[in-house]
Amino acid sequence: MPTAEHPVSRLRLDNGLRVVLAPDRTSGVVGVAVHYDVGFRSEPEGRTGFAHLFEHLMFQGSESLPKLEHFRLVQSSGGIFNGSTHTDYTDYFEVLPAAALERGLFLEADRMRAPRITAENLANQVDVVSEEIRLNVLNRPYGGFSWIYLPPLLFSTFANAHNGYGDFVDLQAATVADCADFFEKYYTPANAVLTVCGDFDPDEAADLVQQHFSDVPYRPAPVRPSFDEPVPDGVIKGQHPDPLAPLPAFAVGWRLPDPVADLDSYLATVLLGQLLSDGESSRLQSTVVAEAGLATEIWSGPGLMGGPFDARDPDIFVLGALHPAEVDGETVREAAYEQLAAVAQDGPTEEEMTSAVARFSAGHFRESDSISARTRSLGSFELLHGRAELLNEIPAMIAALPPEAIRDAAAHLDPGRCAILEVIPGADR
């Protein structure tokens, strides 16, 4: 199995900021990312959507830069930038020409030090986020399916079950004081990881990091509570009416092994997802879709928001499908469960293992080739696992999994202990 060679070094500033340096002198560009250890799960009750709303506020200027100046400085350098909010973290990044490294570091340090939080900025970003929800959830077929509607079935606590995009009432209720408290508690350098990746000299980059970040005041990182919950002891079903959906759909969710404390077992579920539904020859694609014609689309794997390695415990394995109206969802699920049971009984074939490992590794290497994706992945692995090197190591760890690990992963997905969300199309027509 080929391995990626992305060397990593670290330093830690006196204010607690963890720094990952990953030089690649062949790239010609440099990525700068800051991952803060706060996401949807840490939002206070009555403030759903607040982590995402605050992400927007971090682009509204600082005490030293007026609104839109961050955008102008990046784009005038030929760079790109963005941010995103996840279950357990929020990230911000820029990719710039190598010569503009100091500019990227200055911009991230500047807003870590003192973002401009005003009533005007808050009000206009509440409107922006509300419009984003209308666009991506309320006025889009299958909007929010399944990451918004499946967790309330599988979990019972506010932290794990609530809508991370937010309720309009909660968003409108957000105050400047809420924002100041959130920044003070979570946006401290001791609660963040700075990642620099690409074409730079590590010694020079370390000096620049010290120069720009060392005066950001220290505040203690908050103690992260456990978000663990008991695994369901039966099947929990729910329905979501979707007037825009053309076809019925469903998502089955199972609790997963702890992605951090039991990484090997978690990796087995990643490979299981590949084996089940990635590619036309995979079990579910070839049997449920191609041979039986029970579904038009089917997918499976860990993670609610587009892939694995994106959350701490508890995480979810999702089996989802779109199917014709004349086919009952239960029929589709039973066909899929038969394939799961077969893997749990006999394990995967050697050919399946080889194909699934190759597909996973090819996708992993292809994505990591991008400085933008590599910078963010290094940062999230460092934040969630304390080990950015996992970006290099995971393909070999996946390849080393024995067939028995995949068999056990399949057996873990018990159809009698899961949550099932059904999308009812055209429900309001």
Side-chain angles (χ1 to χ4, degrees):
M1 171 58 60
T3 59
E5 294 295 338
H6 303 308
V8 169
S9 62
R10 294 179 176 76
L11 63 145
R12 189 171 191 133
L13 305 192
D14 290 344
N15 57 17
L17 179 65
R18 289 160 284 170
V19 182
V20 173
L21 302 177
D24 178 355
R25 302 311 297 262
T26 68
S27 64
V29 298
V30 64
V32 175
V34 177
H35 288 68
Y36 292 93
D37 200 340
V38 59
F40 303 135
R41 254 200 283 247
S42 296
E43 293 169 345
E45 292 197 40
R47 291 293 183 268
T48 59
F50 195 83
H52 177 229
L53 172 63
F54 197 86
E55 173 214 317
H56 277 244
L57 284 170
M58 289 288 279
F59 289 95
Q60 301 305 303
S62 68
E63 293 301 320
S64 58
L65 292 179
K67 192 172 183 175
L68 302 179
E69 187 66 4
H70 186 120
F71 299 10
R72 190 190 69 77
L73 288 172
V74 174
Q75 292 174 334
S76 66
S77 300
I80 60 171
F81 64 93
N82 212 334
S84 58
T85 309
H86 302 248
T87 306
D88 287 319
Y89 68 89
T90 306
D91 66 354
Y92 304 84
F93 72 92
E94 294 81 23
V95 178
L96 296 154
L101 169 60
E102 184 170 8
R103 176 167 290 192
L105 294 173
F106 160 76
L107 289 170
E108 289 302 338
D110 182 60
R111 61 179 165 187
M112 180 184 285
R113 189 179 295 108
R116 186 184 296 267
I117 301 172
T118 66
E120 179 185 3
N121 285 341
L122 175 59
N124 65 43
Q125 290 311 301
V126 167
D127 290 343
V128 169
V129 170
S130 298
E131 189 58 29
E132 188 178 321
I133 294 171
R134 293 186 186 96
L135 182 67
N136 292 335
V137 178
L138 301 180
N139 294 316
R140 172 177 295 184
Y142 309 107
F145 171 69
S146 57
W147 75 274
I148 289 179
Y149 306 111
L150 185 58
L153 298 177
L154 195 56
F155 299 108
S156 57
T157 64
F158 171 82
N160 294 321
H162 78 272
N163 173 3
Y165 232 152
D167 180 273
F168 288 147
V169 173
D170 288 350
L171 290 171
Q172 290 288 344
T175 67
V176 171
D178 292 333
C179 299
D181 290 344
F182 198 77
F183 175 77
E184 183 72 15
K185 182 175 183 180
Y186 293 111
Y187 277 68
T188 160
N191 202 42
V193 170
L194 166 67
T195 305
V196 185
C197 176
D199 188 2
F200 61 86
D201 177 86
D203 291 335
E204 293 177 5
D207 289 343
L208 289 172
V209 168
Q210 288 280 2
Q211 178 182 333
H212 288 283
F213 284 88
S214 61
D215 69 339
V216 180
Y218 166 80
R219 301 188 303 280
V223 177
R224 185 177 186 274
S226 170
F227 295 111
D228 190 24
E229 292 187 36
V231 175
D233 57 6
V235 177
I236 305 166
K237 288 187 176 180
Q239 293 186 333
H240 169 64
D242 186 342
L244 301 177
L247 291 175
F250 67 80
V252 184
W254 288 273
R255 289 279 301 279
L256 283 174
D258 187 324
V260 177
D262 190 4
L263 180 57
D264 284 342
S265 296
Y266 184 83
L267 291 177
T269 69
V270 174
L271 198 57
L272 174 65
Q274 293 274 320
L275 184 148
L276 287 174
S277 64
D278 187 28
E280 293 181 355
S281 62
S282 63
R283 292 210 180 200
L284 297 180
Q285 299 289 355
S286 62
T287 59
V288 179
V289 177
E291 292 177 14
L294 296 176
T296 58
E297 189 175 338
I298 198 162
W299 62 92
S300 65
L304 274 173
M305 301 189 67
F309 313 118
D310 199 53
R312 298 188 179 100
D313 188 56
D315 200 1
I316 302 175
F317 187 99
V318 178
L319 165 67
L322 272 66
H323 58 90
E326 60 270 23
V327 178
D328 182 65
E330 191 63 32
T331 303
V332 185
R333 288 192 288 278
E334 288 300 327
Y337 293 162
E338 282 184 19
Q339 296 304 316
L340 264 179
V343 178
Q345 174 70 32
D346 303 322
T349 66
E350 183 177 349
E351 182 181 359
E352 283 178 314
M353 286 290 288
T354 302
S355 175
V357 168
R359 284 180 178 278
F360 172 84
S361 300
H364 182 85
F365 291 136
R366 183 170 54 248
E367 182 175 353
S368 301
D369 194 50
S370 153
I371 288 294
S372 171
R374 195 189 312 166
T375 306
R376 285 175 285 155
S377 293
L378 287 166
S380 61
F381 275 122
E382 183 71 13
L383 186 84
L384 299 177
H385 294 260
R387 187 164 177 77
E389 291 88 344
L390 283 174
L391 183 69
N392 302 327
E393 298 165 351
I394 277 180
M397 296 172 71
I398 288 275
L401 290 170
E404 293 78 14
I406 313 308
R407 183 192 63 197
D408 293 346
H412 180 81
L413 305 183
D414 180 356
R417 303 181 71 185
C418 62
I420 300 173
L421 170 69
E422 294 180 320
V423 173
I424 309 301
D428 290 345
R429 291 174 185 167

